[in-house]
Amino acid sequence: MPVITNIDDLKKIYARRAPKMFYDYAESGSWSEQTFRENTSDFDQIYLRQRVAVDMTGRTTATKMIGQDVSMPVGLAPVGLTGMQCADGEIKAARAAEKFGVPFTLSTMSICSIEDVAENTTKPFWMQVYTLKDDDFMQRLFDRAKDAKCSAAMITVDLQLLGQRHKDLKNGLSAPPKLTVKSVTNMMTKVQWGLGMLGTKRRFFGNIVGHAKGVSDPSSLSTWTSEAFDQALNWDRIREFRKMWDGPLIIKGIMDPRDAREALNVGADAIIVSNHGGRQLDGAISAIRALPAIMDAVGDKIEVHLDSGIRSGQDVLKAMALGASGTYIGRAFVYGLGAMGEEGVTRALECIHKELDSSMGLCGRTDVGKLDRDILMIPKGFAGDWE
């Protein structure tokens, strides 16, 4: 068993074991990938303030996210096609999250269905939904989530149209994927991945095929995906979705204080500061750089979480010290899943937890729920002084 010390160790194994098409899908952003890069590099501009001769015993990373107990403030973000990174990937990731005591969020564009994950886990998970035109499909999606005992819904609001991801176009990565001689040849070299895929019946979009109107098989999925997303989305439409779901609601994709206020007004229980991992508007500022202004605008009125760029426990610590009450990992858990399956997701969570716990202690703090900016050294103008 390889020694795993950080997320990058898992990424290296993942790069060897996953087909290039799916590795590139995870490890890419839109257009020039500026935002994708800065989501992680901007964390490096924030330094931690070391304290000594402080009682570090009795540390706890346990807290709550939307009123639910978590072992640390880190959820598994919704990631499409997770079941192509590793056979039954959504089920394996959900199991690892359940055992670790953190939330798992299932993507609408998952390979395993809501029902698949519910049948293979024992605790409630969260369900992510897109803002689609089809009211009937949306209501049934929310209803299926209720039937599966999902304890929260997450509406992604930053995907009205798709940011161009050059690697996906070159690899034929779409819904469904367009296989080429080159991509199939590459897949044939990934023996462990291939054996896993041969051994599962779950290879298509389980929440879509057989549920969306006119999508009875993978071949009809392409037309549906090109027409389903609502470019006319507005906040009144989001209010309609709020009426379809009466449980805890999280709105994901907020990068501007004005939108944060709108999300508060539609009755969300939490918002996620996120630029879709740099996969939508390239040239947008990083999520961590956007966080302070949003905290100033609504942080005392609604839970503010952060997604996009988290690769370590120190990243989690910095986000929490800036005021976030929760964070999410997407690529970090996908690296683990593609590298080692369920065990890899557990390893990813362990790495982040250990670094969060030890770094918090070395900053002289013992409770992740009581962090503040005093443990940070933030460069002047970090949050921006824009004209």
Side-chain angles (χ1 to χ4, degrees), residues 259-276:
D259 291 329
R261 294 186 189 99
E262 292 285 2
L264 176 64
N265 290 338
V266 300
D269 296 282
I271 59 172
I272 305 178
V273 178
S274 170
N275 53 39
H276 217 95

mmCIF file of all heavy atoms in Angstrom, residues 259-276:
data_model
loop_
_atom_site.group_PDB
_atom_site.id
_atom_site.type_symbol
_atom_site.label_atom_id
_atom_site.label_comp_id
_atom_site.label_asym_id
_atom_site.label_seq_id
_atom_site.Cartn_x
_atom_site.Cartn_y
_atom_site.Cartn_z
ATOM 1 N N ASP A 259 -25.528 38.934 -5.646
ATOM 2 C CA ASP A 259 -26.175 37.636 -5.805
ATOM 3 C C ASP A 259 -26.339 36.934 -4.463
ATOM 4 O O ASP A 259 -27.301 36.184 -4.258
ATOM 5 C CB ASP A 259 -25.369 36.759 -6.777
ATOM 6 C CG ASP A 259 -25.433 37.288 -8.201
ATOM 7 O OD1 ASP A 259 -26.460 37.888 -8.567
ATOM 8 O OD2 ASP A 259 -24.453 37.102 -8.950
ATOM 9 N N ALA A 260 -25.411 37.170 -3.554
ATOM 10 C CA ALA A 260 -25.532 36.594 -2.207
ATOM 11 C C ALA A 260 -26.793 37.124 -1.526
ATOM 12 O O ALA A 260 -27.527 36.378 -0.871
ATOM 13 C CB ALA A 260 -24.295 36.930 -1.381
ATOM 14 N N ARG A 261 -27.067 38.404 -1.685
ATOM 15 C CA ARG A 261 -28.280 38.986 -1.089
ATOM 16 C C ARG A 261 -29.539 38.413 -1.732
ATOM 17 O O ARG A 261 -30.544 38.167 -1.052
ATOM 18 C CB ARG A 261 -28.249 40.511 -1.235
ATOM 19 C CG ARG A 261 -27.139 41.188 -0.443
ATOM 20 C CD ARG A 261 -27.259 42.706 -0.507
ATOM 21 N NE ARG A 261 -26.091 43.356 0.066
ATOM 22 C CZ ARG A 261 -25.076 43.847 -0.648
ATOM 23 N NH1 ARG A 261 -25.105 43.767 -1.983
ATOM 24 N NH2 ARG A 261 -24.057 44.420 -0.050
ATOM 25 N N GLU A 262 -29.495 38.202 -3.044
ATOM 26 C CA GLU A 262 -30.645 37.610 -3.734
ATOM 27 C C GLU A 262 -30.897 36.190 -3.235
ATOM 28 O O GLU A 262 -32.049 35.782 -3.031
ATOM 29 C CB GLU A 262 -30.402 37.604 -5.246
ATOM 30 C CG GLU A 262 -30.371 38.976 -5.893
ATOM 31 C CD GLU A 262 -31.749 39.595 -6.034
ATOM 32 O OE1 GLU A 262 -32.746 38.984 -5.607
ATOM 33 O OE2 GLU A 262 -31.834 40.712 -6.573
ATOM 34 N N ALA A 263 -29.839 35.426 -3.044
ATOM 35 C CA ALA A 263 -29.990 34.057 -2.538
ATOM 36 C C ALA A 263 -30.601 34.060 -1.147
ATOM 37 O O ALA A 263 -31.433 33.214 -0.812
ATOM 38 C CB ALA A 263 -28.631 33.360 -2.531
ATOM 39 N N LEU A 264 -30.196 35.017 -0.334
ATOM 40 C CA LEU A 264 -30.783 35.166 1.000
ATOM 41 C C LEU A 264 -32.274 35.445 0.892
ATOM 42 O O LEU A 264 -33.094 34.870 1.622
ATOM 43 C CB LEU A 264 -30.072 36.299 1.734
ATOM 44 C CG LEU A 264 -30.599 36.693 3.108
ATOM 45 C CD1 LEU A 264 -30.437 35.554 4.102
ATOM 46 C CD2 LEU A 264 -29.867 37.940 3.605
ATOM 47 N N ASN A 265 -32.652 36.283 -0.064
ATOM 48 C CA ASN A 265 -34.052 36.691 -0.210
ATOM 49 C C ASN A 265 -34.962 35.569 -0.719
ATOM 50 O O ASN A 265 -36.174 35.621 -0.502
ATOM 51 C CB ASN A 265 -34.152 37.886 -1.160
ATOM 52 C CG ASN A 265 -33.570 39.157 -0.559
ATOM 53 O OD1 ASN A 265 -33.472 39.274 0.660
ATOM 54 N ND2 ASN A 265 -33.157 40.089 -1.407
ATOM 55 N N VAL A 266 -34.417 34.568 -1.411
ATOM 56 C CA VAL A 266 -35.274 33.484 -1.909
ATOM 57 C C VAL A 266 -35.440 32.374 -0.870
ATOM 58 O O VAL A 266 -36.116 31.376 -1.139
ATOM 59 C CB VAL A 266 -34.746 32.884 -3.239
ATOM 60 C CG1 VAL A 266 -34.683 33.939 -4.318
ATOM 61 C CG2 VAL A 266 -33.407 32.189 -3.051
ATOM 62 N N GLY A 267 -34.829 32.532 0.290
ATOM 63 C CA GLY A 267 -35.044 31.568 1.361
ATOM 64 C C GLY A 267 -34.038 30.442 1.433
ATOM 65 O O GLY A 267 -34.335 29.379 1.998
ATOM 66 N N ALA A 268 -32.837 30.662 0.905
ATOM 67 C CA ALA A 268 -31.793 29.644 1.022
ATOM 68 C C ALA A 268 -31.310 29.562 2.464
ATOM 69 O O ALA A 268 -31.318 30.553 3.199
ATOM 70 C CB ALA A 268 -30.631 29.975 0.094
ATOM 71 N N ASP A 269 -30.870 28.373 2.858
ATOM 72 C CA ASP A 269 -30.312 28.186 4.194
ATOM 73 C C ASP A 269 -28.801 28.397 4.203
ATOM 74 O O ASP A 269 -28.214 28.659 5.253
ATOM 75 C CB ASP A 269 -30.630 26.778 4.701
ATOM 76 C CG ASP A 269 -32.127 26.566 4.859
ATOM 77 O OD1 ASP A 269 -32.677 27.057 5.862
ATOM 78 O OD2 ASP A 269 -32.746 25.947 3.971
ATOM 79 N N ALA A 270 -28.180 28.263 3.040
ATOM 80 C CA ALA A 270 -26.737 28.479 2.914
ATOM 81 C C ALA A 270 -26.426 28.812 1.465
ATOM 82 O O ALA A 270 -27.183 28.452 0.548
ATOM 83 C CB ALA A 270 -25.954 27.249 3.356
ATOM 84 N N ILE A 271 -25.326 29.501 1.259
ATOM 85 C CA ILE A 271 -24.815 29.736 -0.090
ATOM 86 C C ILE A 271 -23.401 29.195 -0.171
ATOM 87 O O ILE A 271 -22.704 29.086 0.845
ATOM 88 C CB ILE A 271 -24.825 31.227 -0.469
ATOM 89 C CG1 ILE A 271 -23.968 32.049 0.506
ATOM 90 C CG2 ILE A 271 -26.249 31.765 -0.532
ATOM 91 C CD1 ILE A 271 -23.788 33.505 0.073
ATOM 92 N N ILE A 272 -22.993 28.851 -1.377
ATOM 93 C CA ILE A 272 -21.627 28.394 -1.600
ATOM 94 C C ILE A 272 -20.933 29.377 -2.521
ATOM 95 O O ILE A 272 -21.346 29.577 -3.670
ATOM 96 C CB ILE A 272 -21.574 26.987 -2.216
ATOM 97 C CG1 ILE A 272 -22.359 25.987 -1.355
ATOM 98 C CG2 ILE A 272 -20.131 26.534 -2.362
ATOM 99 C CD1 ILE A 272 -22.397 24.581 -1.944
ATOM 100 N N VAL A 273 -19.883 29.999 -2.011
ATOM 101 C CA VAL A 273 -19.028 30.843 -2.838
ATOM 102 C C VAL A 273 -18.229 29.890 -3.731
ATOM 103 O O VAL A 273 -17.408 29.114 -3.257
ATOM 104 C CB VAL A 273 -18.095 31.707 -1.976
ATOM 105 C CG1 VAL A 273 -17.178 32.551 -2.857
ATOM 106 C CG2 VAL A 273 -18.912 32.591 -1.038
ATOM 107 N N SER A 274 -18.507 29.944 -5.030
ATOM 108 C CA SER A 274 -17.941 28.962 -5.956
ATOM 109 C C SER A 274 -17.957 29.508 -7.369
ATOM 110 O O SER A 274 -18.936 30.152 -7.774
ATOM 111 C CB SER A 274 -18.759 27.661 -5.901
ATOM 112 O OG SER A 274 -18.383 26.778 -6.951
ATOM 113 N N ASN A 275 -16.891 29.258 -8.116
ATOM 114 C CA ASN A 275 -16.872 29.573 -9.539
ATOM 115 C C ASN A 275 -16.834 28.300 -10.377
ATOM 116 O O ASN A 275 -16.286 28.272 -11.477
ATOM 117 C CB ASN A 275 -15.706 30.509 -9.890
ATOM 118 C CG ASN A 275 -14.364 29.978 -9.404
ATOM 119 O OD1 ASN A 275 -14.091 28.783 -9.460
ATOM 120 N ND2 ASN A 275 -13.516 30.871 -8.912
ATOM 121 N N HIS A 276 -17.430 27.255 -9.833
ATOM 122 C CA HIS A 276 -17.525 25.958 -10.518
ATOM 123 C C HIS A 276 -16.134 25.371 -10.778
ATOM 124 O O HIS A 276 -15.889 24.714 -11.793
ATOM 125 C CB HIS A 276 -18.300 26.099 -11.836
ATOM 126 C CG HIS A 276 -19.176 24.920 -12.146
ATOM 127 N ND1 HIS A 276 -20.507 24.882 -11.821
ATOM 128 C CD2 HIS A 276 -18.904 23.731 -12.739
ATOM 129 C CE1 HIS A 276 -21.031 23.721 -12.216
ATOM 130 N NE2 HIS A 276 -20.069 23.011 -12.770
#
